[in-house]
């Protein structure tokens, strides 16, 4: 099959979280998975002739994965932010997104730009290129995994070689185990992009069972 999707990784200054730019050679617009530092995103777009960020898919609403959203909204006022119902609550509460306990508090400035995603929902990114969302609670109630073609974005729900952190107020250890098993079944043979750490091309699940 033709590989339409390209992915560019940005390692953020807070907690070394990953943001990903999703792009194709035939479109001027891009999508993001998570949003930390926006300067490197804008720089990359300028260097690569991309003009518009259409939306951001949030893997979960912890501060280190969302803190760039308000800056991005000030540049792209029509930006669409996709997350789960719990994720919406997290974007609007510095207690739920844990930023209350960090150096700066974060609350998403524009509620009307946030769209709720449901489990197994498919969203069209470009003509014939769809993103599919999967609920994967455990690390946080808001956790989602996204798959486009053979690329899967796992956030902090699954980082190969690391135990899922399930010690936050809205974590659940039992859910984390169920979600990990779901993610492993979705990930086989995919390129895996976690919320922290390296990218795993053609992910081989046998190593992690």
């Amino acid at each position: 099959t033709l590989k339409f999707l390209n992915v560019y990784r940005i390692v953020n200054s807070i907690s070394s979280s990953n943001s990903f730019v999703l792009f194709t050679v035939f479109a001027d617009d891009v999508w993001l998975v998570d949003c930390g530092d926006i300067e490197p995103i804008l720089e990359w777009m300028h260097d690569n002739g991309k003009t518009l960020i259409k939306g951001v898919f949030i893997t979960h609403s912890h501060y280190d994965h969302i803190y760039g959203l308000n800056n991005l909204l000030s540049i792209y006022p029509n930006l669409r932010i996709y997350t789960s119902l719990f994720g919406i609550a997290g974007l609007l509460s510095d207690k739920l997104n844990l930023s209350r306990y960090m150096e700066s508090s974060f609350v998403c400035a524009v509620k009307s730009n946030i769209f709720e995603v449901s489990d197994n929902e498919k969203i069209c990114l470009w003509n014939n290129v769809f993103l599919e969302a999967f609920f994967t609670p455990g690390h946080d109630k808001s956790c989602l995994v996204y798959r486009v073609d053979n690329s899967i974005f796992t956030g902090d729900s699954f980082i190969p070689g690391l135990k899922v952190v399930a010690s936050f107020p809205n974590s659940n250890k039992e859910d984390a185990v169920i979600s990990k098993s779901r993610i492993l079944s979705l990930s086989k043979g995919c390129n895996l992009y976690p919320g922290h750490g390296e990218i795993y091309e053609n992910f081989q699940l046998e190593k992690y069972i």
Side-chain angles (χ1 to χ4, degrees):
T1 57
L2 285 170
K3 183 177 177 291
F4 286 116
L5 185 74
N6 294 292
V7 181
Y8 177 71
R9 176 171 73 122
I10 288 155
V11 180
N12 294 306
S13 58
I14 295 179
S15 304
S16 298
S17 62
N18 289 330
S19 296
F20 297 103
V21 183
L22 281 53
F23 67 101
T24 71
V25 293
F26 58 81
D28 294 337
D29 53 24
V30 305
W31 298 81
L32 303 181
V33 173
D34 289 341
C35 181
D37 302 338
I38 69 161
E39 292 80 6
I41 298 171
L42 299 174
E43 200 174 290
W44 178 89
M45 288 181 66
H46 177 265
D47 293 348
N48 289 274
K50 304 298 184 187
T51 54
L52 178 67
I53 300 174
K54 289 191 83 171
V56 185
F57 294 95
I58 303 298
T59 60
H60 62 299
S61 55
H62 283 166
Y63 177 67
D64 55 331
H65 297 266
I66 62 172
Y67 65 86
L69 286 173
N70 286 342
N71 291 336
L72 213 53
L73 282 163
S74 68
I75 301 168
Y76 300 102
N78 296 320
L79 184 82
R80 297 170 75 89
I81 300 166
Y82 291 93
T83 185
S84 65
L85 189 60
F86 289 111
I88 294 172
L91 289 177
L92 301 174
S93 161
D94 66 352
K95 184 179 179 186
L96 289 176
N97 66 42
L98 309 178
S99 67
R100 182 180 291 186
Y101 316 105
M102 312 271 181
E103 60 276 14
S104 61
S105 166
F106 175 90
V107 172
C108 187
V110 193
K111 188 179 178 182
S112 57
N113 286 53
I114 306 172
F115 296 84
E116 183 188 346
V117 175
S118 50
D119 193 25
N120 297 307
E121 184 174 347
K122 287 188 174 173
I123 294 161
C124 185
L125 304 184
W126 300 280
N127 189 25
N128 292 326
V129 181
F130 289 86
L131 172 144
E132 192 167 5
F134 304 93
F135 285 3
T136 55
H139 174 70
D140 186 66
K141 265 186 183 177
S142 66
C143 284
L144 289 157
V145 160
Y146 301 105
R147 189 172 63 189
V148 188
D149 292 344
N150 72 331
S151 297
I152 188 158
F153 301 88
T154 58
D156 292 1
S157 294
F158 177 61
I159 300 171
L162 295 181
K163 191 170 168 33
V164 176
V165 177
S167 51
F168 292 109
N170 287 294
S171 297
N172 183 293
K173 287 188 169 66
E174 290 76 21
D175 284 349
V177 172
I178 295 164
S179 291
K180 180 181 175 182
S181 140
R182 183 180 198 193
I183 294 163
L184 287 172
S185 68
L186 291 168
S187 301
K188 193 174 167 93
C190 285
N191 297 328
L192 191 144
Y193 299 87
H196 300 263
E198 296 302 315
I199 294 163
Y200 296 80
E201 292 194 357
N202 188 18
F203 177 70
Q204 298 306 313
L205 124 119
E206 290 74 20
K207 297 179 188 172
Y208 299 98
I209 293 178

